[in-house]
Amino acid sequence: MQEKDIKAEKFAIVLGEILRELRSARNSSTINKLANEYELNKGTLSKLERGNNNCQFITLWKLSEALGIRCSDLVKLLEERLGEEFTLLDE
């Protein structure tokens, strides 16, 4: 069970890093500005970027649109960063 928690934590941290990088590359957009522009919860965005929150798929989709990237491309970035060996399921 602890192994799953470590994997989920790694997943959340890497996703947060990617989201922060994409937001920063978007003309220095702040969390507040992004949240206000696209009616997203700034607390949720902040927690996601810090890797402190799991992301619902609908939130991920909205964020990808707000950041100007296809959701599938965001997932590809996540897969690349985590590596081919990464899995959330115990085999």
Side-chain angles (χ1 to χ4, degrees), residues 2-52:
Q2 191 174 12
E3 175 84 16
K4 288 182 184 179
D5 294 341
I6 292 169
K7 290 178 179 183
E9 184 177 322
K10 180 178 180 179
F11 182 91
I13 289 169
V14 172
L15 176 60
E17 290 170 353
I18 292 169
L19 293 174
R20 186 172 36 258
E21 290 167 12
L22 289 171
R23 180 181 53 79
S24 295
R26 194 178 173 268
N27 298 326
S28 302
S29 184
T30 65
I31 287 178
N32 287 336
K33 185 176 177 183
L34 187 67
N36 290 334
E37 258 180 70
Y38 294 98
E39 298 179 7
L40 299 165
N41 184 293
K42 68 180 179 180
T44 300
L45 292 178
S46 179
K47 287 177 185 176
L48 287 172
E49 284 193 6
R50 291 190 319 258
N52 293 339

Side-chain angles (χ1 to χ4, degrees), residues 7 61 63 86:
K7 290 178 179 183
W61 193 288
L63 271 172
F86 182 83

Side-chain angles (χ1 to χ4, degrees), residues 53-89:
N53 206 10
N54 289 323
C55 188
Q56 293 183 352
F57 188 75
I58 195 164
T59 302
L60 187 65
W61 193 288
K62 286 179 183 180
L63 271 172
S64 65
E65 287 181 356
L67 294 168
I69 186 172
R70 293 176 49 93
C71 189
S72 59
D73 292 334
L74 178 57
V75 171
K76 285 178 190 174
L77 287 172
L78 184 57
E79 288 176 328
E80 289 170 5
R81 191 84 54 98
L82 289 169
E84 288 185 26
E85 301 299 316
F86 182 83
T87 177
L88 288 170
L89 299 176

